């Protein structure tokens, strides 16, 4: 009889546990990590060259990012520009503020590709999203 009662309590204890009773895993934002520039699409055309493709970003858990952008429009063959700024996930899904700009980021299913949509409505484009566009652009990064 003791065994039956003990077995009953053991089974009841196991059944009463739920996923909510376990320690929640810390959710890591999918943007955190190192990223390599893959493409810059404007009106369906990839406008980057070999120099620009070397650009990388590292998004840190503390809301900062660092990186190096490579540009050819400075008069030098391939000029290196350090990137240091902040990022914030605004809604837990796709709306981010990066370097002061509100952008929409779509991640691939396994979070290895990030497509950043920058709209022409962003005023005074400077910093990471330099330039002034007549149309929207999608910047794609691949996780390193």
């Amino acid at each position: 009889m003791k065994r039956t009662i003990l077995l009953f309590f053991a089974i009841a204890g196991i059944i009463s546990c739920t996923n909510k009773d376990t320690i929640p895993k810390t959710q890591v934002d999918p943007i955190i990590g190192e990223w390599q520039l893959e493409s810059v699409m404007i009106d369906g055309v990839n406008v980057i060259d070999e120099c620009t493709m070397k650009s990388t970003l590292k998004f840190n858990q503390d809301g900062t990012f660092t990186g190096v952008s490579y540009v050819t429009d400075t008069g030098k063959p391939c000029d290196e520009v350090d990137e240091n700024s902040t990022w914030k996930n605004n809604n837990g899904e796709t709306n981010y503020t990066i370097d002061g700009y509100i952008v929409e980021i779509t991640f691939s299913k396994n979070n290895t590709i990030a497509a950043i949509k920058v709209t022409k409505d962003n005023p005074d484009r400077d910093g990471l999203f330099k330039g002034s566009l007549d149309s929207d652009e999608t910047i794609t990064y691949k996780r390193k």
Side-chain angles (χ1 to χ4, degrees):
M1 184 72 170
K2 278 186 176 178
R3 284 187 185 173
T4 305
I5 292 173
L6 185 58
L7 183 60
F8 171 79
F9 282 114
I11 292 173
I14 292 170
I15 292 173
S16 67
C17 291
T18 66
N19 287 342
K20 292 180 182 176
D21 295 333
T22 60
I23 297 171
K25 292 181 181 177
T26 304
Q27 287 188 336
V28 176
D29 196 288
I31 200 170
I32 293 172
E34 293 185 58
W35 298 88
Q36 178 78 44
L37 182 63
E38 193 165 82
S39 68
V40 177
M41 301 298 284
I42 300 175
D43 294 330
V45 177
N46 190 0
V47 297
I48 65 171
D49 55 22
E50 276 188 45
C51 171
T52 310
M53 271 181 122
K54 296 192 287 185
S55 300
T56 60
L57 294 175
K58 180 180 181 187
F59 288 86
N60 304 304
Q61 211 162 2
D62 67 357
T64 63
F65 72 85
T66 57
V68 178
S69 290
Y70 291 88
V71 294
T72 55
D73 61 353
T74 60
K76 297 179 182 176
C78 190
D79 196 19
E80 196 176 293
V81 178
D82 289 332
E83 302 291 354
N84 296 293
S85 195
T86 59
W87 69 274
K88 177 184 171 189
N89 185 324
N90 296 325
N91 66 358
E93 293 179 17
T94 61
N95 187 313
Y96 285 77
T97 300
I98 297 177
D99 201 22
Y101 293 99
I102 296 173
V103 296
E104 180 182 325
I105 303 180
T106 306
F107 295 95
S108 63
K109 192 172 187 174
N110 57 3
N111 291 330
T112 58
I113 304 289
I116 302 172
K117 183 172 183 176
V118 183
T119 65
K120 63 184 175 187
D121 300 329
N122 274 330
D124 303 323
R125 292 169 49 107
D126 199 8
L128 185 61
F129 306 113
K130 294 174 185 73
S132 59
L133 294 178
D134 294 328
S135 60
D136 299 344
E137 71 180 32
T138 300
I139 305 166
T140 304
Y141 285 87
K142 186 172 186 174
R143 189 176 297 278
K144 286 180 83 175

